[in-house]
């Protein structure tokens, strides 16, 4: 069935919500996990991943954990490909933040401590988290966090 002009026009005006879930890329394993930054390979990987998402500078928000590497990945993935800046993957987190501020997009970036999945302090949780992360059939951490993690925390707290 062929769409009428009015149907096509209305479809183009309909609001659309797209959510991209990302995880930081390669981190420096020589540093404390909470403070470890992205490596050069990790920054390049984040930028490359962003180029596949058809980013638009005037659309979207980055919400991530307060860890620098998560924020750095988010900025590179969602805004890096749109910024006309030479060697954008080599920019530090602070340089990227300044560039976004100068372009009037600082309000598009938020951090939320609830996204900081710190698992190192509780061995049982750590073991279950990383068994999901390293699952043979692929990374299952998001599924674990949605389906099992809350109950596991309640069980551990008893």
């Amino acid at each position: 069935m062929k769409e009428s002009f009015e149907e096509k026009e209305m479809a183009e005006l309909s609001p659309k919500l797209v959510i991209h879930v990302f995880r930081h890329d390669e981190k420096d394993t020589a540093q404390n996990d909470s403070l470890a930054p992205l490596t050069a390979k990790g920054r390049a990987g984040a930028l490359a991943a962003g180029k596949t998402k058809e980013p638009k500078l005037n659309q979207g928000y980055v919400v991530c954990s307060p860890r620098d590497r998560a924020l750095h990945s988010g900025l590179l993935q969602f805004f890096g490909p749109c910024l006309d800046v030479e060697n954008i993957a080599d920019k530090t987190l602070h340089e990227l933040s300044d560039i976004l501020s100068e372009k009037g997009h600082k309000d598009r970036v938020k951090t939320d401590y609830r996204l900081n999945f710190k698992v190192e302090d509780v061995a049982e949780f750590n073991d279950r988290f990383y068994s999901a992360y390293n699952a043979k059939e692929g990374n299952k951490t998001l599924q674990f966090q949605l389906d099992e993690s809350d109950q596991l925390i309640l069980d551990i707290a008893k």
Side-chain angles (χ1 to χ4, degrees):
M1 181 172 172
K2 190 174 177 180
E3 283 183 300
S4 70
F5 175 77
E6 291 81 14
E7 290 170 327
K8 285 182 183 179
E9 188 176 60
M10 290 307 294
E12 291 174 8
L13 296 175
S14 298
K16 182 172 140 181
L17 174 65
V18 177
I19 297 174
H20 294 281
V21 177
F22 70 94
R23 179 161 166 66
H24 67 78
D25 213 300
E26 184 181 272
K27 66 179 180 178
D28 181 351
T29 56
Q31 292 203 30
N32 172 290
D33 184 63
S34 294
L35 303 175
L38 291 173
T39 63
K41 182 179 175 185
R43 292 188 307 273
L47 183 61
K51 289 178 181 177
T52 68
K53 298 181 188 307
E54 300 177 10
K56 294 176 179 65
L57 191 57
N58 294 332
Q59 296 177 2
Y61 296 85
V62 170
V63 181
C64 64
S65 82
R67 294 188 186 201
D68 284 356
R69 66 178 176 264
L71 184 54
H72 206 166
S73 284
L75 296 182
L76 285 169
Q77 284 186 36
F78 294 102
F79 299 121
C82 303
L83 297 171
D84 187 23
V85 176
E86 192 173 327
N87 300 320
I88 193 76
D90 294 334
K91 301 297 181 195
T92 67
L93 173 58
H94 299 291
E95 289 170 330
L96 277 173
S97 296
D98 289 347
I99 291 167
L100 282 171
S101 290
E102 289 168 10
K103 294 187 177 287
H105 297 291
K106 185 175 184 158
D107 62 334
R108 297 186 174 282
V109 180
K110 303 286 184 222
T111 59
D112 189 323
Y113 75 93
R114 294 172 295 181
L115 296 173
N116 191 16
F117 302 118
K118 187 174 181 192
V119 300
E120 300 84 16
D121 295 339
V122 179
E124 184 178 353
F125 191 91
N126 187 45
D127 292 345
R128 295 271 295 278
F129 178 90
Y130 281 108
S131 68
Y133 180 74
N134 295 318
K136 288 182 179 163
E137 61 277 359
N139 185 332
K140 302 285 185 184
T141 53
L142 187 57
Q143 182 179 348
F144 165 74
Q145 290 167 359
L146 288 171
D147 298 340
E148 301 175 46
S149 66
D150 290 352
Q151 186 60 50
L152 179 58
I153 290 168
L154 292 171
D155 293 345
I156 290 170
K158 287 182 183 175

